[in-house]
Amino acid sequence: DAGVIQSPRHEVTEMGQEVTLRCKPISGHNSLFWYRQTMMRGLELLIYFNNNVPIDDSGMPEDRFSAKMPNASFSTLKIQPSEPRDSAVYFCASSLQAGAKGEQFFGPGTRLTVL
Amino acid sequence: KQEVTQIPAALSVPEGENLVLNCSFTDSAIYNLQWFRQDPGKGLTSLLLIQSSQREQTSGRLNASLDKSSGRSTLYIAASQPGDSATYLCAVSFSNDYKLSFGAGTTVTVRA
């Protein structure tokens, strides 16, 4: 079975540009999470979807960040405009059960560098 | 505040030695606890999930124990191999919050 798929794996962009990260969860999983990992702050939950509906976006740092899940097999995380402090590794994870009740499976991540 | 702590931050052992990784959490009312492995530049790989009603879980050379009353979990890796070198992360789902709270991780180096 394919795991969580993320694209692109690496993204380098200039400050002010729009960045879109993509995620395909494991088929049949109805919970999807976006995380950000930095050396300073470790892993942080940005947003959590259940059955394609955003349940908790309290971790989204600013209005520059937005996330969508138009269907059960696709989600995007968009940063507009991007800033150097957004440089981090962004992970998508999915789970068969709601919330953090079930085992979470992570994608390989997107390493974002904003110059 | 619900926190997850992993000590030590780094560990180096010779091949064949058993590894003992520690995770402590501040609130005993947890829903589950998950151990992950992260290789440099890679994503997180789930190793074991322990539900709050369980005391341990085993998978191959890995064994994870859970003691809610003392707020501790331990991951044991038997007969370590150089391929076990990675960062190991502990994550806790606290009962009153569905989010996973992550520890900072323990970076393990197994010397051949």
Side-chain angles (χ1 to χ4, degrees), chain B residues 12-58:
Chain B
S12 179
V13 299
E15 183 176 3
E17 189 167 301
N18 295 333
L19 280 165
V20 180
L21 306 179
N22 299 305
C23 172
S24 61
F25 42 92
T26 53
D27 187 344
S28 63
I30 71 168
Y31 200 98
N32 62 40
L33 184 146
Q34 197 166 351
W35 281 96
F36 293 90
R37 167 186 172 139
Q38 186 173 28
D39 293 284
K42 305 289 186 182
L44 280 69
T45 300
S46 178
L47 298 175
L48 290 167
L49 172 70
I50 309 178
Q51 303 290 352
S52 62
S53 58
Q54 298 174 313
R55 293 189 65 85
E56 67 175 355
Q57 276 282 11
T58 298

Side-chain angles (χ1 to χ4, degrees), chain A residues 37 56 58 100-101 103-104, chain B residues 32 34 38 46 98-100:
Chain A
Q37 185 178 39
D56 185 349
S58 61
K101 297 178 182 178
E103 191 172 5
Q104 292 190 22
Chain B
N32 62 40
Q34 197 166 351
Q38 186 173 28
S46 178
Y98 53 77
K99 301 175 186 177
L100 275 181

Side-chain angles (χ1 to χ4, degrees), chain A:
Chain A
D1 283 342
V4 176
I5 298 172
Q6 290 187 248
S7 65
R9 293 295 310 278
H10 301 273
E11 178 81 34
V12 179
T13 190
E14 293 187 346
M15 183 174 61
Q17 295 298 306
E18 178 180 295
V19 175
T20 299
L21 311 181
R22 297 172 177 79
C23 173
K24 177 179 170 54
I26 294 172
S27 178
H29 284 194
N30 57 20
S31 289
L32 184 139
F33 308 83
W34 281 100
Y35 291 90
R36 178 171 68 177
Q37 185 178 39
T38 61
M39 289 293 291
M40 290 294 294
R41 300 175 67 91
L43 269 160
E44 303 174 283
L45 177 66
L46 300 177
I47 188 168
Y48 155 56
F49 290 88
N50 183 243
N51 291 324
N52 313 338
V53 177
I55 303 300
D56 185 349
D57 64 356
S58 61
M60 297 285 263
E62 298 172 31
D63 291 344
R64 299 184 296 107
F65 285 70
S66 63
K68 294 181 180 180
M69 192 164 186
N71 57 62
S73 60
F74 184 66
S75 177
T76 59
L77 178 67
K78 185 177 293 187
I79 308 173
Q80 166 63 20
S82 58
E83 297 182 3
R85 60 192 168 122
D86 301 331
S87 297
V89 181
Y90 290 81
F91 289 105
C92 176
S94 70
S95 175
L96 187 60
Q97 293 179 276
K101 297 178 182 178
E103 191 172 5
Q104 292 190 22
F105 296 88
F106 280 67
T110 295
R111 182 173 296 275
L112 174 65
T113 302
V114 183
L115 302 174

